[in-house]
Amino acid sequence: MSEPRRSSTNEGDKATNEKHEFVHRDDATTHLSSSDHATYTNDYPNEKHRRGGLDTVQSKDLQLMNAKIANPLLGKSKAEIIADVEAWTKEHGMTDMMDTFRKGALVAANPAGFEDIEELTEEDKNTLRREVTHKWHQPKQLYYMVALCSLAAAVQGMDETVINGANLFWPQQFGINTKDPDPSKASRDQWLLGIVASAPYLCCAVIGCWLTDPLNRLLGRRGTIFVTAVISALTCFWSGLTNSWYHLFIARFFLGFGIGPKSSTVPVYSAECAPPNIRGALVMQWQVWTAFGIAMGFVADLALYYVPDRSGIVGLNWRLMLGSAGIPAIIVCTNVFFCPESPRWLLGKGRVADAYHSLARLRNTPLQAARDTYYIQKQLEAEDQLVSRGKLRIMELFTVPRNRRAALAAGIVMFMQQFCGVNIIAYYSATIFEESGFSTVSALAASLGFGLINWLFAGPAIWTIDTFGRRGLLLTTFPLMSLFLFLTGFAFWIPDRETRVGIVALGIYLFTIAYSPGEGPVPFTYSAEAFPLYVRDLGMSFATATTWFFNFIVSITFPRLLGAFKPQGAVGWYAAWNMIGFMLILMFMPETKALSLEELDAVFSVSTRRHALYQLRQVPIWIKKHVLRQKNVQEQPPLYEVAEEDKTYGPTAAAA
């Protein structure tokens, strides 16, 4: 992607802006100079502010809406802010905190210039300096909340993989034989195995994810996490008590009511509680600790493999495997109410004093808590004023071209997260390893290797995703994932058993190394930032439902695919999808790393056809420069153009 071109602000604009004393400057979310005011407050009076096709009234309105939501203190003078704070604290019975809120509001309006705020004491300024120099020095309560969210993510991972080991035992006990000599019965049983394994994801896609909003509105973040953790624990134990395949299907279907809302709520809760300067890293912990939970699911499978039947219980080992995922869920639900509630949720309910006290537990000083309470309140007020479209927003997600292109890109990365083939390994790796010649226990041990590699290589993604970019990571890792899956599939034709199992394991492990820093973290990160702020929550719901739906498709079809295509064809099928995914990413997914709201609008306002053709023309240019090492290769003109002074940076999606 080309760099945005710079254009300057004229003298008239500068003069207009001199009357404004304070502009919000959140180091992690908003960066505006004084000259940026004219861009928004004058409603783009000058034709030079039009960028990359953003010359319609609709585009201008969308940019104004984004800027106002991202920066609710835009254009406020010092006197206006102080007057507003005094009225606000009186209204909510917090006059005893008026002085602290007054200082906090002035810092919220100009955090980069706090050194010049005369109301602050030297102790106040030292506190704000340490936010930059010691950003990881946070209250224990914040890290307790992070630990709980990490455990909730691990619950998610265990819920997904304990079925892997159980699949080796329960089908035989319930009369299901995927290798029956009768092809029609084998086909039926393969579908039944897929239906049971995929049941939670069917629930997530059609019901669970869409319950997130009403549950959060009614119960809050902590209440939703509590309820979903209870559901996860009870359904895991229920799964271990079943006595038929359809009984197990029902139990696992209800598990989806725990997985779906929890997967959407926990990252949001973490983002809303975290300070802006470490918010991104803390939200990324969801991916890291979900990978850890996946590994722990394999640990449970392996540890419980040799448990013998006792007291007339048949299949005690696989029953304990399924039930083991309920243990960390119990820890989550018994500890979640020791954490503070999301301050943003409390403010949305009008509970200002409670929100301040919640933030006071999550910040080092009352000044920081007051600053963040006031800023979040102003942001919510801006959303209430500007986002008044009601039910029409869901239509605008697909009818407004800029939104539709963001939905297309987010839908592609979410779809490919499932069709890249990672979950055939997460859910059926023991079966795949057995097919290659591993013994049953060795297959589980090899599966544990997959889980550990997935976890270890998920950690560096916190760094790589913002270093190499979302698009760059995917364009690099998709060809590698395709290559390594083809290696895995072709290895099944090797006649020598020892060589075959070694190459199969190598291919799967190399695939996992490529997946973990790329298609692992990118989809949720990309979807969280691609949509405009006013439809971002709906965009994330659409993206989450997309990934769970195709998770269901992959889970239900793979046993039958394995029976019909054999391991070579089944694994090769997903290797081919990685090649398709590379082309889809190349043509339809713009880069979003470190882009301002205006740049995002410019990027997604380029027509889909124009973007695809531009990127296809870029391929031979890249080959000439980087493969053939030719010099003086003629470049294409930039695809996007954004005025340098017209940039506004929105808050983390989950917190927006």
Side-chain angles (χ1 to χ4, degrees):
M1 188 189 72
S2 60
E3 288 293 323
R5 293 181 178 176
R6 178 184 295 272
S7 62
S8 60
T9 307
N10 61 32
E11 295 300 322
D13 291 337
K14 292 180 180 179
T16 302
N17 294 316
E18 288 177 356
K19 66 180 181 179
H20 297 295
E21 184 169 359
F22 281 83
V23 180
H24 178 73
R25 292 173 176 268
D26 188 323
D27 290 334
T29 59
T30 307
H31 306 282
L32 289 174
S33 65
S34 60
S35 62
D36 291 324
H37 276 128
T39 304
Y40 299 106
T41 58
N42 292 344
D43 195 17
Y44 298 92
N46 198 316
E47 285 296 311
K48 70 181 178 181
H49 288 295
R50 294 182 176 181
R51 302 177 297 273
L54 300 180
D55 54 357
T56 65
V57 173
Q58 183 185 59
S59 296
K60 294 178 185 177
D61 288 344
L62 187 147
Q63 291 166 2
L64 286 167
M65 187 178 299
N66 269 337
K68 184 62 177 176
I69 294 175
N71 183 18
L73 300 177
L74 184 69
K76 297 284 187 180
S77 69
K78 179 178 178 179
E80 289 173 326
I81 291 173
I82 291 175
D84 182 72
V85 168
E86 292 175 352
W88 184 65
T89 51
K90 290 177 181 178
E91 178 185 354
H92 295 286
M94 301 179 69
T95 53
D96 58 321
M97 297 291 298
M98 184 181 294
D99 183 60
T100 304
F101 272 101
R102 186 184 298 116
K103 291 191 291 185
L106 294 177
V107 174
N110 190 13
F114 68 85
E115 298 281 2
D116 299 325
I117 299 177
E118 58 187 18
E119 286 82 359
L120 298 181
T121 65
E122 188 60 28
E123 182 181 356
D124 293 331
K125 293 178 181 179
N126 281 333
T127 296
L128 297 174
R129 292 181 192 120
R130 284 182 62 84
E131 278 191 325
V132 178
T133 60
H134 298 75
K135 66 179 183 179
W136 293 104
H137 177 70
Q138 301 294 339
K140 292 181 180 179
Q141 188 68 64
L142 178 69
Y143 287 113
Y144 181 77
M145 181 274 298
V146 172
L148 186 89
C149 291
S150 299
L151 185 59
V155 171
Q156 194 89 350
M158 285 193 71
D159 285 338
E160 294 181 21
T161 54
V162 289
I163 190 66
N164 198 312
N167 283 339
L168 299 174
F169 302 100
W170 71 262
Q172 183 178 2
Q173 184 173 334
F174 293 161
I176 293 176
N177 182 8
T178 58
K179 297 181 179 180
D180 194 284
D182 183 352
S184 62
K185 189 177 186 307
S187 176
R188 170 186 174 274
D189 288 351
Q190 289 158 4
W191 282 112
L192 291 181
L193 176 62
I195 287 172
V196 171
S198 64
Y201 318 118
L202 173 63
C203 178
C204 286
V206 300
I207 306 174
C209 285
W210 303 104
L211 292 177
T212 302
D213 185 61
L215 282 174
N216 276 270
R217 289 180 183 275
L218 179 65
L219 304 174
R221 309 295 189 232
R222 295 183 307 173
T224 301
I225 294 171
F226 172 81
V227 169
T228 54
V230 169
I231 292 173
S232 292
L234 293 178
T235 51
C236 285
F237 299 150
W238 180 10
S239 297
L241 299 174
T242 54
N243 53 14
S244 64
W245 73 262
Y246 49 84
H247 190 185
L248 181 57
F249 167 80
I250 295 171
R252 285 184 54 76
F253 183 87
F254 276 89
L255 176 60
F257 288 105
I259 292 178
K262 183 163 78 268
S263 68
S264 300
T265 301
V266 173
V268 170
Y269 176 57
S270 178
E272 291 177 344
C273 292
N277 57 340
I278 60 171
R279 181 180 294 149
L282 294 187
V283 173
M284 279 289 294
Q285 296 302 308
W286 172 261
Q287 179 69 27
V288 174
W289 292 102
T290 298
F292 175 77
I294 288 173
M296 290 302 99
F298 289 121
V299 169
D301 290 341
L302 196 58
L304 297 169
Y305 177 83
Y306 286 111
V307 173
D309 294 344
R310 294 177 182 173
S311 303
I313 301 175
V314 180
L316 183 59
N317 57 352
W318 69 262
R319 296 178 187 277
L320 291 176
M321 290 176 189
L322 295 180
S324 64
I327 296 174
I330 290 176
I331 299 174
V332 171
C333 65
T334 54
N335 284 272
V336 67
F337 285 108
F338 291 107
C339 295
E341 180 55 272
S342 160
R344 183 180 172 88
W345 183 84
L346 291 169
L347 286 169
K349 295 295 183 179
R351 297 165 57 181
V352 176
D354 290 338
Y356 168 75
H357 292 305
S358 178
L359 273 168
R361 297 170 62 188
L362 296 164
R363 300 294 184 267
N364 287 311
T365 65
L367 172 63
Q368 294 166 307
R371 174 198 61 191
D372 293 351
T373 302
Y374 181 77
Y375 178 68
I376 296 170
Q377 176 67 38
K378 296 295 106 178
Q379 192 175 58
L380 289 171
E381 291 176 3
E383 291 176 5
D384 289 340
Q385 293 171 5
L386 296 174
V387 184
S388 57
R389 304 178 180 226
K391 296 180 180 179
L392 293 178
R393 286 194 302 147
I394 188 65
M395 296 178 61
E396 291 194 3
L397 191 61
F398 303 103
T399 58
V400 175
R402 182 259 184 266
N403 299 346
R404 185 170 62 246
R405 295 181 191 111
L408 172 64
I412 286 172
V413 291
M414 286 296 196
F415 164 75
M416 286 308 308
Q417 188 178 55
Q418 304 307 320
F419 267 67
C420 72
V422 68
N423 281 334
I424 68 171
I425 302 171
Y427 305 153
Y428 299 105
S429 61
T431 303
I432 295 173
F433 282 127
E434 268 198 327
E435 290 279 349
S436 71
F438 278 88
S439 66
T440 303
V441 70
S442 296
L444 287 174
S447 298
L448 174 59
F450 156 75
L452 291 175
I453 290 173
N454 185 37
W455 176 47
L456 292 174
F457 282 87
I462 298 174
W463 173 74
T464 58
I465 196 169
D466 284 322
T467 302
F468 301 107
R470 292 80 165 117
R471 176 182 165 89
L473 275 175
L474 296 186
L475 290 178
T476 301
T477 55
F478 265 106
L480 294 175
M481 289 191 292
S482 179
L483 173 64
F484 296 143
L485 282 186
F486 274 125
L487 173 66
T488 303
F490 291 160
F492 281 92
W493 275 306
I494 298 176
D496 181 67
R497 176 188 171 279
E498 291 187 1
T499 304
R500 181 173 64 252
V501 298
I503 299 298
V504 167
L506 175 66
I508 287 178
Y509 292 162
L510 290 175
F511 167 85
T512 308
I513 291 172
Y515 166 84
S516 294
E519 188 63 0
V522 166
F524 277 91
T525 303
Y526 188 88
S527 301
E529 60 196 7
F531 296 95
L533 296 181
Y534 84 101
V535 292
R536 188 168 277 179
D537 56 340
L538 292 173
M540 277 302 295
S541 294
F542 161 75
T544 304
T546 299
T547 197
W548 284 122
F549 174 75
F550 286 106
N551 191 326
F552 162 70
I553 295 298
V554 168
S555 303
I556 194 175
T557 57
F558 186 73
R560 180 63 192 127
L561 199 65
L562 194 63
F565 288 3
K566 305 306 176 188
Q568 298 91 329
V571 175
W573 165 262
Y574 288 103
W577 270 109
N578 280 290
M579 298 173 64
I580 296 172
F582 174 84
M583 295 304 300
L584 293 174
I585 298 298
L586 175 70
M587 294 189 293
F588 304 120
M589 179 189 160
E591 181 60 82
T592 59
K593 178 179 78 76
L595 296 189
S596 68
L597 297 172
E598 291 74 30
E599 288 172 315
L600 287 170
D601 289 339
V603 163
F604 286 107
S605 291
V606 173
S607 73
T608 303
R609 180 177 181 275
R610 182 184 172 198
H611 185 276
L613 291 175
Y614 183 94
Q615 300 301 340
L616 289 174
R617 289 194 298 268
Q618 195 68 22
V619 173
I621 295 175
W622 186 90
I623 292 174
K624 290 176 183 178
K625 290 179 62 177
H626 300 285
V627 178
L628 302 179
R629 313 298 293 178
Q630 295 181 4
K631 298 181 179 180
N632 302 320
V633 178
Q634 184 176 359
E635 296 280 0
Q636 297 188 83
L639 186 58
Y640 322 115
E641 183 175 339
V642 181
E644 183 67 25
E645 71 273 15
D646 292 345
K647 295 183 180 181
T648 314
Y649 293 85
T652 299

